[in-house]
Amino acid sequence: MATAVMLHTAVALTMMHIWNSRVGDCQPEPSESVKLRLVNGGTRCDGRLEIQYKGNWGTVDGNSWDMPATNVVCRQLSCGAALKAYAGSSYGEGSGPVFTPNFQCSGSEAALQECKSDPWGDTGYSHSRDVAVVCKESRKVRLEKGGSPCTGRLEVNHEGYWRPVYALGWDMKDATVVCRELSCGAALKAPNEYHFGKVFDRVITYNVNCDGTEAALRECESAEWNFYTHPRPDYAGVICAGNDVARLVDGDNRCSGRVEVQHGDQWGTLCDEYFSLEDAAVVCEQLQCGAVNATPRDAYFGTGNGPMWKDDYICLGNESRLADCQVSAWSQISCSHGDDASLICTDDIWSLRLTEGGSRCDGQVEVYDNGRWSRIQDNFWNNNEANVVCKQLRCGVATSSYIASGHRGKEGPVWVTDLQCEGSESHLQNCRRSILNRTSSDIIGVGVLCSGHLQLRLSGSEDSCAGQLEVYYRGSWGLVCDDSWDLVDANVVCRQLGCGHSLEDKTHDYCGRRSLPVLLDEVRCSARSDYGDVINK
């Protein structure tokens, strides 16, 4: 890290998609009809957005595309609420014209043509940033209380009421059908009882018996769909891989190999220039493979033969699946299959992760053992143990350690208790310890903040992708001095924040506020800087 010096200026960035001076109240010509469709997805309610205008079908450029605009598209197609917005040809590149960029919707419009935008017409842009959306299509099944549309307690709609399904006979074949119906990829688990919370309510059906090939749950054998009362809360649950399904190919075991992601019916690879440790941690978690062991480069497990997606996942590292991460598109770096991302997860005991924090280097400590994550409990937890955790996770050194209490504690299995480390150990398993394996809501966990927990934000602007650059380091926010700052540095910040590419960099008093200390000076990034490397240049 460059030496921080106290100067009087701060850096401010204006991101690529801030073109307010060009955006007017532009709608298509009144005589022209506008039609929408989503293609290359699993249903009619997810896929690449295409618009028919003046008799031609074309795509939409992803510049400034956001969730309010996606909500308008989903409403216009009668597909329910918006779940995901992509701007990087995530469902493949389209053909024909690339229409109107810079849609600015409030989200309440009935149709996309009611939103403000640049003048309608063919922009002449490439298809590398084609917009894609995922909507929550009106279905008869849903998953609740799992944190994402693809995980949770199964509920079905019968006569206008949403009720759970009794778990008697529930298995992976049944879960597979639900995941297929929801376009959520492969089924990973079929939990029961009250895995996703207790609800004392009548159930709709029971004794579900799918063979795994059905397109919808209603096609499976089961008790008649009605309202039943059961004496205990034993409800069917489902954990699906998610919309961004990942797999590891050509490795030594199921938890190592070339990283491939499925969009629609196609499997493609990712560029290792944009595959960070945070992204890797999410893939390992999504595949139930523990923690990251290594991310070798240069197509370590061989080259793929499908497309190379231009998806740049912006993960914090504590998400449960790639679908929960922000995503943008890369364009500056030329990647080929010789750059296919590779990953080796460790499916062994004593893999570590931090949860409930702001990044993979901050939060409560959990240990992976026998296919599940369990908490550590230690009434004498201090910086010696915390330093070992940070070292093992490649997160620097511990800046603080704490015993989680109050709202920061959570129910769940407790596997390790009373660790005693000297601080020099390379792995937590090398410390003296006692082992406890039970479930408790009374014992609280331990947490750590590592120096590798570095975040960026842009303040002083109504837009999250424009403003004064601030960095988080060792528990506090500070500024970056503008000495040597240029568009190359700004581009790294834009990519890290999932804001595309920098249009302009501002210095001096552009954003005003100077009440914070200056933490960085003389930042120099190369054009090939990876995500997150702005802090290390």
Side-chain angles (χ1 to χ4, degrees):
M1 176 183 294
T3 304
V5 298
M6 297 297 293
L7 296 181
H8 297 292
T9 56
V11 175
L13 306 179
T14 301
M15 300 304 177
M16 180 176 180
H17 73 261
I18 308 304
W19 280 96
N20 292 332
S21 60
R22 295 177 54 217
V23 177
D25 204 0
C26 295
Q27 282 82 34
E29 298 174 18
S31 61
E32 295 293 339
S33 64
V34 176
K35 296 180 180 179
L36 305 184
R37 69 185 181 189
L38 301 178
V39 301
N40 276 10
T43 71
R44 71 176 190 88
C45 291
D46 72 293
R48 182 178 64 247
L49 173 62
E50 295 191 350
I51 297 179
Q52 187 184 52
Y53 180 59
K54 291 190 174 182
N56 295 315
W57 284 99
T59 61
V60 176
D61 184 75
N63 194 15
S64 81
W65 190 262
D66 55 16
M67 286 300 290
T70 304
N71 267 314
V72 175
V73 170
C74 293
R75 180 182 300 113
Q76 189 169 350
L77 292 173
S78 300
C79 283
L83 293 181
K84 200 79 173 178
Y86 296 99
S89 61
S90 296
Y91 284 77
E93 295 186 4
S95 59
V98 178
F99 288 129
T100 312
N102 297 322
F103 280 102
Q104 292 195 3
C105 306
S106 67
S108 61
E109 295 86 352
L112 196 61
Q113 53 266 37
E114 297 178 9
C115 300
K116 294 181 180 180
S117 70
D118 285 356
W120 281 60
D122 187 356
T123 62
Y125 293 168
S126 75
H127 287 279
S128 62
R129 297 184 304 186
D130 284 346
V131 164
V133 305
V134 178
C135 311
K136 188 174 183 179
E137 183 184 8
S138 178
R139 295 183 173 97
K140 291 295 184 182
V141 301
R142 70 183 184 186
L143 300 177
E144 291 292 298
K145 305 301 182 182
S148 85
C150 295
T151 296
R153 180 179 62 245
L154 173 63
E155 296 184 357
V156 298
N157 190 296
H158 180 61
E159 297 180 356
Y161 295 93
W162 288 98
R163 294 292 185 269
V165 171
Y166 193 59
L168 182 64
W170 189 253
D171 59 22
M172 281 295 292
K173 290 182 179 179
D174 308 325
T176 295
V177 174
V178 173
C179 293
R180 180 182 298 118
E181 184 171 356
L182 292 174
S183 301
C184 281
L188 297 179
K189 290 184 178 181
N192 54 20
E193 294 188 344
Y194 43 90
H195 188 87
F196 295 105
K198 298 179 181 179
V199 287
F200 297 95
D201 209 341
R202 290 187 293 175
V203 298
I204 294 297
T205 190
Y206 58 94
N207 277 342
V208 176
N209 184 22
C210 305
D211 63 25
T213 62
E214 298 87 349
L217 192 67
R218 271 193 178 273
E219 299 177 10
C220 301
E221 295 180 2
S222 71
E224 179 185 357
W225 282 37
N226 207 326
F227 298 99
Y228 301 92
T229 300
H230 278 271
R232 59 188 296 266
D234 192 4
Y235 301 126
V238 180
I239 300 176
C240 309
N243 293 308
D244 293 73
V245 183
R247 69 182 183 185
L248 298 177
V249 180
D250 293 338
D252 299 326
N253 52 54
R254 75 174 191 90
C255 292
S256 66
R258 181 176 59 254
V259 181
E260 295 189 353
V261 175
Q262 185 181 35
H263 290 317
D265 295 328
Q266 273 192 310
W267 287 94
T269 59
L270 300 178
C271 177
D272 62 14
E273 291 283 350
Y274 292 94
F275 191 67
S276 67
L277 276 175
E278 287 76 12
D279 304 337
V282 175
V283 173
C284 291
E285 170 66 9
Q286 183 169 347
L287 296 176
Q288 305 282 295
C289 282
V292 179
N293 184 29
T295 53
R297 299 173 67 87
D298 301 323
Y300 183 83
F301 290 104
T303 59
N305 53 20
M308 170 171 275
W309 305 125
K310 291 189 175 182
D311 292 349
D312 177 15
Y313 289 96
I314 315 297
C315 303
L316 296 175
N318 53 13
E319 298 89 349
S320 58
R321 53 186 54 82
L322 284 177
D324 299 331
C325 302
Q326 295 184 47
V327 63
S328 63
W330 53 265
S331 61
Q332 283 193 324
I333 296 178
S334 177
C335 290
S336 67
H337 278 301
D339 305 298
D340 282 345
S342 301
L343 173 60
I344 301 173
C345 305
T346 172
D347 196 23
D348 302 325
I349 64 171
W350 288 102
S351 296
L352 301 182
R353 72 176 182 183
L354 302 178
T355 64
E356 309 292 316
S359 77
R360 74 176 193 90
C361 295
D362 168 39
Q364 293 190 46
V365 185
E366 294 187 354
V367 178
Y368 187 77
D369 172 50
N370 196 26
R372 70 176 183 178
W373 290 96
S374 304
R375 286 181 295 139
I376 290 178
Q377 186 271 336
D378 192 338
N379 290 323
F380 302 100
W381 183 258
N382 59 38
N383 266 21
N384 285 342
E385 289 80 32
N387 267 321
V388 177
V389 171
C390 294
K391 186 186 306 180
Q392 186 170 339
L393 290 173
R394 289 181 280 177
C395 284
V397 298
T399 60
S400 66
S401 58
Y402 59 86
I403 297 176
S405 60
H407 69 279
R408 300 203 69 176
K410 64 176 183 180
E411 295 185 5
V414 176
W415 190 69
V416 180
T417 185
D418 294 337
L419 284 155
Q420 296 181 43
C421 304
E422 296 179 0
S424 59
E425 296 88 348
S426 58
H427 289 79
L428 207 60
Q429 68 193 84
N430 297 333
C431 302
R432 288 181 294 168
R433 63 193 183 274
S434 58
I435 302 296
L436 178 70
N437 194 350
R438 64 185 178 88
T439 299
S440 173
S441 59
D442 301 322
I443 298 180
I444 55 181
V446 298
V448 59
L449 176 67
C450 304
S451 60
H453 173 71
L454 269 165
Q455 292 183 318
L456 307 182
R457 70 183 181 188
L458 299 173
S459 65
S461 170
E462 294 182 356
D463 193 288
S464 61
C465 287
Q468 177 175 268
L469 174 61
E470 297 177 1
V471 297
Y472 183 87
Y473 181 63
R474 294 192 174 182
S476 62
W477 288 96
L479 305 177
V480 180
C481 177
D482 67 357
D483 286 359
S484 305
W485 188 264
D486 56 24
L487 280 176
V488 175
D489 308 324
N491 269 325
V492 176
V493 173
C494 294
R495 184 163 64 248
Q496 184 168 347
L497 293 174
C499 289
H501 301 286
S502 175
L503 174 68
E504 186 177 2
D505 64 300
K506 297 285 187 179
T507 58
H508 303 298
D509 295 324
Y510 178 67
C511 285
R513 183 169 133 192
R514 298 185 197 163
S515 60
L516 301 176
V518 174
L519 297 180
L520 284 177
D521 185 22
E522 298 290 351
V523 176
R524 293 186 180 89
C525 298
S526 69
R528 295 179 62 85
S529 294
D530 290 337
Y531 160 64
D533 277 358
V534 66
I535 301 304
N536 300 319
K537 300 299 175 182

